[in-house]
């Protein structure tokens, strides 16, 4: 059972466009992280969200945690080729200390 | 900055060989993890450790073992490598059970 669903799986857009990717579940999380992974490298932590409704900004990236702490979104404004990569969400379940990962959204920004 | 290093970036081994993958972190983190990453399957947890000499099975421990003799070092062992263990192996460490810091990965090919 895939507890964290990420959508879309793949996204290819032109430089300068805006985009939103999603991370959804039917479970409640105590925290959720977003990572970016470039080809041949390990994932790099972008942000952690903890509070329902929380919004965090990292330059052109805006992260939102759902009010019920079951979902999250990542919005990129004016995408640049350097944003290309695999975006992973990960969450800590309330019931134990295990971390689960979504399968990721592979983003390609065309120059 | 947290630094997690892995012993090899690329490794080619023959079926039946014993394979050691080493991971070292320099931030005195208690928790360390080994994942494998395969296209379409995402990140899957093999083993994790919350303390020296302590280990817990993840979701796919079969065919693997681990060793944690020192806090900074977590080793993954493939007792008898098989072709279905060809994968990208990622080590991570964390001071808590979330916000994982990943190494650059080892791409293992078993022929």
């Amino acid at each position: 059972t895939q507890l964290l669903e990420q959508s879309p799986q793949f996204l290819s857009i032109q430089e300068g466009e805006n985009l939103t990717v999603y991370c959804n579940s039917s479970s409640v999380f105590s925290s959720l992280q977003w990572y970016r992974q470039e080809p041949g490298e390990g994932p790099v932590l972008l942000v952690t969200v903890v509070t329902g409704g929380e919004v965090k900004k990292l330059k052109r990236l805006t992260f939102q945690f759902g009010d019920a702490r079951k979902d999250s979104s990542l919005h990129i404004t004016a995408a640049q080729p350097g944003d290309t990569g695999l975006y992973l969400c990960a969450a800590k379940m309330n019931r134990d200390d295990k971390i689960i990962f979504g399968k990721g959204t592979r983003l390609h920004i065309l120059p | 900055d947290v630094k997690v290093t892995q012993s090899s970036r690329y490794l080619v081994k023959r079926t039946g060989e014993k394979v050691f993958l080493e991971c070292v972190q320099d931030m005195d983190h208690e928790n360390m993890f080994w994942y494998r990453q395969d296209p379409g399957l995402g990140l899957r947890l093999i083993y994790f450790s919350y303390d020296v000499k302590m280990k817990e099975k993840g979701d796919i421990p079969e065919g693997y073992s681990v060793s944690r003799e020192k806090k900074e070092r977590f080793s993954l062992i493939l007792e008898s490598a098989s072709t279905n263990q060809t994968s990208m192996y990622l080590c991570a460490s964390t001071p808590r059970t979330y916000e994982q810091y990943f190494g650059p990965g080892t791409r293992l090919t078993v022929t």
Side-chain angles (χ1 to χ4, degrees):
Chain A
T1 303
Q2 180 61 31
L3 297 179
L4 273 178
E5 297 282 348
Q6 289 193 245
S7 60
Q9 268 190 290
F10 303 97
L11 186 58
S12 182
I13 63 170
Q14 290 292 138
E15 181 177 1
E17 291 185 11
N18 301 332
L19 66 106
T20 303
V21 299
Y22 301 92
C23 176
N24 296 302
S25 177
S26 57
S27 302
V28 177
F29 305 118
S30 59
S31 70
L32 187 142
Q33 294 81 50
W34 284 93
Y35 296 81
R36 180 170 65 216
Q37 184 179 19
E38 298 185 14
E41 300 293 332
V44 175
L45 178 68
L46 296 174
V47 78
T48 296
V49 286
V50 178
T51 306
E54 183 176 4
V55 176
K56 282 192 174 178
K57 293 195 173 186
L58 190 66
K59 296 182 181 178
R60 292 175 294 100
L61 278 60
T62 302
F63 304 85
Q64 183 157 10
F65 202 14
D67 290 340
R69 290 185 291 130
K70 292 183 178 183
D71 53 82
S72 181
S73 63
L74 159 58
H75 181 80
I76 301 179
T77 304
Q80 298 177 3
D83 296 327
T84 292
L86 178 68
Y87 288 81
L88 295 162
C89 64
K92 177 182 176 303
M93 307 301 288
N94 270 337
R95 62 175 184 267
D96 57 30
D97 287 339
K98 282 184 73 172
I99 307 295
I100 58 170
F101 282 83
K103 291 185 180 181
T105 292
R106 192 164 295 282
L107 177 63
H108 185 56
I109 308 302
L110 303 166
Chain B
D1 277 352
V2 176
K3 192 166 183 184
V4 180
T5 57
Q6 295 184 227
S7 49
S8 304
R9 295 298 300 270
Y10 301 93
L11 210 52
V12 180
K13 295 291 182 181
R14 293 181 184 269
T15 302
E17 279 193 82
K18 191 168 186 176
V19 182
F20 293 88
L21 302 181
E22 296 236 306
C23 174
V24 178
Q25 50 97 1
D26 66 357
M27 285 301 291
D28 202 34
H29 288 170
E30 287 79 18
N31 309 319
M32 297 187 75
F33 304 79
W34 274 106
Y35 296 88
R36 63 177 285 177
Q37 186 177 33
D38 302 286
L41 297 176
L43 277 160
R44 292 181 291 168
L45 181 63
I46 304 171
Y47 267 97
F48 59 102
S49 169
Y50 286 144
D51 203 349
V52 175
K53 295 190 187 295
M54 180 272 179
K55 60 186 178 186
E56 293 281 346
K57 291 181 180 179
D59 299 318
I60 51 162
E62 296 78 20
Y64 303 95
S65 62
V66 290
S67 172
R68 191 153 181 215
E69 296 296 319
K70 293 185 178 180
K71 192 174 187 179
E72 68 270 19
R73 190 179 299 267
F74 193 33
S75 301
L76 179 70
I77 303 149
L78 286 66
E79 295 290 343
S80 178
S82 63
T83 54
N84 63 13
Q85 292 178 309
T86 291
S87 186
M88 173 73 144
Y89 288 87
L90 290 161
C91 173
S93 76
T94 174
R96 300 179 291 272
T97 53
Y98 50 94
E99 294 189 344
Q100 304 204 339
Y101 295 89
F102 285 87
T106 296
R107 186 164 293 282
L108 172 67
T109 301
V110 183
T111 61

